[in-house]
């Protein structure tokens, strides 16, 4: 397993518009023994309720949602570019159908009992604070509803407090 160093949040320099959208990231939810890694490219890092938070958007149909709902913590991790294929796998197959660790070649690691892929270069360990459902009533612009949710598979906003960030 790799050795990770703690990284104070005030030392961060990252572009919030490209970091997730271009690099992609892995959300890992579950326990240190059993967890499911899923690729995300929508989300945000910021401040809410006087806390440093990460927001992720998870559709109802994702297996990851079951793990997020059952557990109080999750991680958001960025991986070196050589793992792009593993991110594609974790973004196209479901943990409902297979073991995504085996399928992607990623390795389950954990800290403070919170699971994350050992191949990560940067990991945010988060404590779940809120899960906010989107519904057809959520949107002030109905085009969004039509464009993204025609099949009724709405996103849930999960807001997590960043407990720890670490890098290698
Ligand atoms: C680049 C990329 C970004 C994605 N971003 C999200 C996202 O932000 N939210 C989401 O619900 N699904 C997203 N997905 C789709 C899930 O990763 C995909 O459906 C995955 O197979 C679900 O896995 P699970 O069922 O094991 O949770 C993304 C897929 C890719 C390839």
């Amino acid at each position: 397993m790799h050795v990770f160093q703690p990284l104070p949040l005030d030392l961060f320099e990252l572009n919030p518009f490209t970091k997730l959208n271009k690099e992609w990231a892995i959300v890992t939810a579950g326990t240190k023994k059993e967890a499911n890694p899923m690729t995300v490219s929508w989300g945000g890092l910021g401040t809410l309720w006087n806390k440093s938070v990460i927001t992720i958007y998870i559709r109802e149909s994702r297996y990851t949602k079951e793990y997020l709902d059952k557990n109080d913590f999750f991680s958001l991790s960025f991986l070196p570019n050589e793992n792009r294929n593993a991110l594609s796998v974790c973004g196209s197959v479901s943990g409902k159908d297979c073991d995504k660790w085996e399928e992607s070649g990623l390795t389950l690691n954990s800290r403070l009992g919170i699971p994350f892929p050992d191949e990560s270069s940067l990991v945010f360990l988060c404590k779940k604070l809120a899960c906010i459902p989107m519904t057809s009533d959520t949107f002030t612009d109905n085009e969004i509803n039509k464009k993204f949710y025609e099949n009724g598979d709405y996103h849930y906003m999960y807001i997590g407090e960043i407990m720890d960030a670490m890098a290698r």
Side-chain angles (χ1 to χ4, degrees), residues 24-38:
W24 307 349
I26 298 268
V27 168
T28 311
T31 66
K32 65 179 178 185
K33 294 224 167 88
E34 207 218 340
N36 188 55
M38 179 189 127

Side-chain angles (χ1 to χ4, degrees), residues 141-160:
D141 179 346
N142 196 44
E143 287 305 307
I144 299 289
N145 196 27
K146 276 203 279 184
K147 184 166 175 193
F148 294 99
Y149 303 108
E150 208 171 20
N151 60 1
D153 192 10
Y154 285 99
H155 282 106
Y156 289 72
M157 292 175 64
Y158 287 87
I159 301 173

Side-chain angles (χ1 to χ4, degrees), residues 24 36 38-41 57 59 62-64 93-95 100:
W24 307 349
N36 188 55
M38 179 189 127
T39 304
V40 294
S41 60
Y57 302 92
R59 287 192 196 261
R62 309 300 186 223
Y63 192 46
T64 295
V93 299
S94 175
K100 288 170 85 171

Side-chain angles (χ1 to χ4, degrees), residues 20-25 27 36-43 56-67 84 87-98 100 153-156:
L20 264 166
N21 192 33
K22 297 245 162 64
E23 268 185 48
W24 307 349
V27 168
N36 188 55
M38 179 189 127
T39 304
V40 294
S41 60
W42 290 0
I56 51 173
Y57 302 92
I58 307 295
R59 287 192 196 261
E60 171 99 61
S61 61
R62 309 300 186 223
Y63 192 46
T64 295
K65 183 174 183 299
E66 294 178 25
Y67 280 78
R84 192 71 170 182
L87 271 91
S88 295
V89 170
C90 292
S92 55
V93 299
S94 175
K96 281 177 191 160
D97 307 318
C98 65
K100 288 170 85 171
D153 192 10
Y154 285 99
H155 282 106
Y156 289 72

Side-chain angles (χ1 to χ4, degrees), residues 69-130:
D69 291 341
K70 266 194 274 176
N71 292 279
D72 295 333
F73 300 90
F74 67 88
S75 65
L76 182 79
S77 312
F78 296 88
L79 283 75
N81 200 34
E82 70 212 37
N83 299 100
R84 192 71 170 182
N85 190 50
L87 271 91
S88 295
V89 170
C90 292
S92 55
V93 299
S94 175
K96 281 177 191 160
D97 307 318
C98 65
D99 177 338
K100 288 170 85 171
W101 300 103
E102 238 171 63
E103 204 73 20
S104 65
L106 295 176
T107 317
L108 174 60
N109 194 348
S110 68
R111 191 177 130 70
L112 308 172
I114 308 171
F116 66 88
D118 184 56
E119 289 76 7
S120 309
S121 48
L122 171 62
V123 183
F124 293 98
L125 302 172
C126 302
K127 175 179 182 287
K128 208 172 53 170
L129 297 178

